[in-house]
Amino acid sequence: MTLVAGIDSSTQSCKVVVRDLASGALVREGRAAHPEGTEVHPDAWWAALLSALTAAGGLDDVAAISIAGQQHGMVVLDADARVIRPALLWNDTRSAQAARDLIDEFGAADLASRTGSVPVASFTATKLRWLRDAEPDAAARVAAVALPHDWLTWRLRGYGPADESELGPVLEELVTDRSDASGTSYWNPRAGTYDRDILVAALGHDAVLPRVLGPAEPAGTTIAHTATAAATTAATGRPAAAAESTDVAGTTTTVTIPAGIVVGPGAGDNAGAALGLGATEGDVIVSIGTSGTVFAVTGAPSSDATGTVAGFADASGAFLPLVATLNAARILDSTAALLGIDHDTLGTLALAAEPGSHGLVLQPYFEGERTPNLPDATATLFGMTMASTTRENLARASIEGLLCGLADGLDAVRAVGVEPRRILLIGGAALNPAVQQIAAQVFDVAVTVPEPGEYVANGAALQAAWTLTGTRPSWPVSLVASPAADHRPIIREQYAARAAAAPTAPTPAALTPIASPA
């Protein structure tokens, strides 16, 4: 049996799956937590990756490996390959003004044409601009910029600071892939090249950027070495003093990396999920995780000058128009906590209410929002009357608000040419029967729910197999639910009416601090 490994280094944790190359069957797996927050030192990801590899039984019998990861995170390295400061993650909105500054300088239409997207606070270029303005001394030291999966792939291959790695600080050995590069706002998916003018405008000077690999193009092969990560503080992920007891890894973690493992190019998390699901044209993936995403595999690149749709590349050689929301599963977490119940009970209450929640509408911008681009927005509950304000209606309104935001995303990807045939609903919340049933009422396209799985890690494993053999595998994906179509237009009509009346309602052409979809 030939084994391949896939890694998902997400916002919350690192997951490792080891699969049989021929069948895709899961052989073993491991997991380790990441620190919370929107600013995390990359050392915490490295410690978690090594811990997860250990939990998954190591790599001694693995022939190929690939890493998918959270997109956009800003990893800045100095000339000695040391991390200059903790990485700003995709969900850190402090760079919202930087995004507006870049739009003012280049113009939204020009940026969309050059990079496929209009930058928002999530994207790497805006975080570099924030660094230039807020921490100019740190920005001046930047010799290379990488994304989370780029940096982890580089470390796994044996590179890093001289005193921490076998191969040393060779910045030119950093690599990435099309999907993750397309989320930086300084790479052109149509041309397949970096836009150095935008990088310089963001950071203030040029820097080493990872070489962009094609689908299934190997990053290289591992050398025999011992990978080590010191304990890191749970709060920040920074290396901890030996005497400290609050750490992620607990103690120093050491993993023996054998020679000769083929290392795949890696991918952004959404592109990894698309690979893992075997998505093809006509499939729209709606993911309900920490963030919400709506994306589809298409044969042609797209651009959207309003900034609503990001014209990303995918991990297969095609393209991945994507809409993302900051608020997704945590909407249900917050509502369930407010009601003092668990998610199952929340679903039961929601199904006891009528579609439309008797006029109660939740606009769920609990932590600002990316789509529409309202980084300083807050959540609002509309339509509260003596009749509508019940536990049942509030439970249902939270699910309807979550899904209406994602349905707006479906409309946006349709507007750039996607013709949806079915929706693949994934993420932990997708397993809730109430979410499934209400999704079939909110969306006007057939909804299917694949079996639970680590689809980002699975996609990375599939990519590892593809890189090893030169042939893309076709691993089976089972469905666990296909709720009957039951479209109820009232749900979205109410949501749209409230959004239009709200003082922070988006104006697509404006892209201003309070009114800019992205």
Side-chain angles (χ1 to χ4, degrees), residues 273-373:
L275 272 184
L277 287 161
T280 58
E281 288 200 54
D283 290 333
V284 175
I285 300 166
V286 176
S287 176
I288 309 175
T290 305
S291 64
T293 50
V294 180
F295 53 99
V297 176
T298 63
S302 63
S303 64
D304 177 8
T306 73
T308 304
V309 180
F312 293 158
D314 83 337
S316 73
F319 298 88
L320 200 80
L322 180 146
V323 174
T325 65
L326 283 180
N327 299 277
R330 288 181 295 178
I331 298 167
L332 309 186
D333 295 340
S334 180
T335 307
L338 178 66
L339 294 174
I341 56 178
D342 59 22
H343 279 229
D344 289 341
T345 307
L346 182 77
T348 300
L349 283 175
L351 292 179
E354 291 295 317
S357 307
H358 209 120
L360 200 65
V361 175
L362 176 64
Q363 190 178 68
Y365 303 158
F366 284 94
E367 296 193 356
E369 190 45 83
R370 167 173 164 174
T371 306
N373 184 26

Side-chain angles (χ1 to χ4, degrees), residues 15 32 34 48 51 54 171 208 226 264 269 315 317-318 345 354 358 415 442 447 496 502 504:
K15 285 85 68 176
H34 285 163
S51 294
T54 299
L171 298 176
V208 174
T226 300
D269 50 4
T345 307
E354 291 295 317
H358 209 120
V442 171
V447 174
T504 55

Side-chain angles (χ1 to χ4, degrees), residues 13-396:
S13 64
C14 181
K15 285 85 68 176
V16 175
V17 298
V18 177
R19 293 191 170 271
D20 173 44
L21 181 146
S23 67
L26 180 66
V27 176
R28 55 185 192 263
E29 59 187 327
R31 176 188 295 261
H34 285 163
E36 295 182 357
T38 64
E39 177 180 294
V40 175
H41 197 287
D43 285 348
W45 303 331
W46 182 235
L49 188 152
L50 296 185
S51 294
L53 284 174
T54 299
L59 296 174
D60 287 349
D61 55 354
V62 169
I65 190 169
S66 194
I67 302 173
Q70 54 178 303
Q71 290 191 263
H72 313 306
M74 179 193 74
V75 181
V76 284
L77 306 176
D78 66 16
D80 296 321
R82 298 194 183 279
V83 175
I84 293 170
R85 71 170 324 281
L88 299 187
L89 307 190
W90 62 272
N91 53 353
D92 191 304
T93 60
R94 75 185 75 178
S95 56
Q97 182 58 50
R100 292 189 284 267
D101 291 343
L102 288 170
I103 292 167
D104 288 343
E105 291 169 22
F106 287 91
D110 187 40
L111 288 166
S113 175
R114 293 167 69 162
T115 70
S117 305
V118 178
V120 291
S122 300
F123 292 179
T124 318
T126 72
K127 299 179 188 305
L128 291 173
R129 182 58 171 266
W130 174 88
L131 185 69
R132 191 200 80 172
D133 295 342
E135 299 177 4
D137 291 343
R141 294 170 54 206
V142 175
V145 183
L147 300 168
H149 109 256
D150 311 343
W151 185 80
L152 289 169
T153 298
W154 185 68
R155 293 302 310 270
L156 186 68
R157 292 169 60 208
Y159 295 98
D163 59 346
E164 298 178 16
S165 64
E166 192 77 18
L167 297 176
V170 187
L171 298 176
E172 291 74 17
E173 283 295 331
L174 285 162
V175 297
T176 190
D177 85 302
R178 300 170 66 254
S179 67
D180 230 2
S182 64
T184 61
S185 277
Y186 47 78
W187 188 76
N188 186 328
R190 292 177 185 268
T193 57
Y194 283 114
D195 193 315
R196 296 279 177 173
D197 290 344
I198 297 175
L199 173 68
V200 171
L203 179 59
H205 63 270
D206 206 350
V208 174
L209 297 174
R211 181 166 56 94
V212 182
L213 302 177
E217 181 181 352
T221 56
T222 59
I223 62 164
H225 68 284
T226 300
T228 302
T232 55
T233 61
T236 66
R238 293 185 179 93
E244 293 185 13
S245 60
T246 55
D247 59 82
V248 172
T251 58
T252 298
T253 303
T254 300
V255 174
T256 299
I257 308 295
I261 299 175
V262 174
V263 181
D269 50 4
N270 294 300
L275 272 184
L277 287 161
T280 58
E281 288 200 54
D283 290 333
V284 175
I285 300 166
V286 176
S287 176
I288 309 175
T290 305
S291 64
T293 50
V294 180
F295 53 99
V297 176
T298 63
S302 63
S303 64
D304 177 8
T306 73
T308 304
V309 180
F312 293 158
D314 83 337
S316 73
F319 298 88
L320 200 80
L322 180 146
V323 174
T325 65
L326 283 180
N327 299 277
R330 288 181 295 178
I331 298 167
L332 309 186
D333 295 340
S334 180
T335 307
L338 178 66
L339 294 174
I341 56 178
D342 59 22
H343 279 229
D344 289 341
T345 307
L346 182 77
T348 300
L349 283 175
L351 292 179
E354 291 295 317
S357 307
H358 209 120
L360 200 65
V361 175
L362 176 64
Q363 190 178 68
Y365 303 158
F366 284 94
E367 296 193 356
E369 190 45 83
R370 167 173 164 174
T371 306
N373 184 26
L374 302 169
D376 300 318
T378 57
T380 306
L381 189 63
F382 298 95
M384 296 179 69
T385 66
M386 295 299 292
S388 69
T389 309
T390 67
R391 290 164 60 83
E392 292 80 4
N393 285 329
L394 179 57
R396 186 177 183 103

Side-chain angles (χ1 to χ4, degrees), residues 462-492:
L462 188 146
Q463 184 189 68
W466 188 1
T467 305
L468 179 67
T469 65
T471 301
R472 179 178 176 176
S474 181
W475 292 342
V477 175
S478 300
L479 301 179
V480 296
S482 297
D486 185 23
H487 188 220
R488 304 294 185 98
I490 187 174
I491 299 173
R492 293 197 63 200

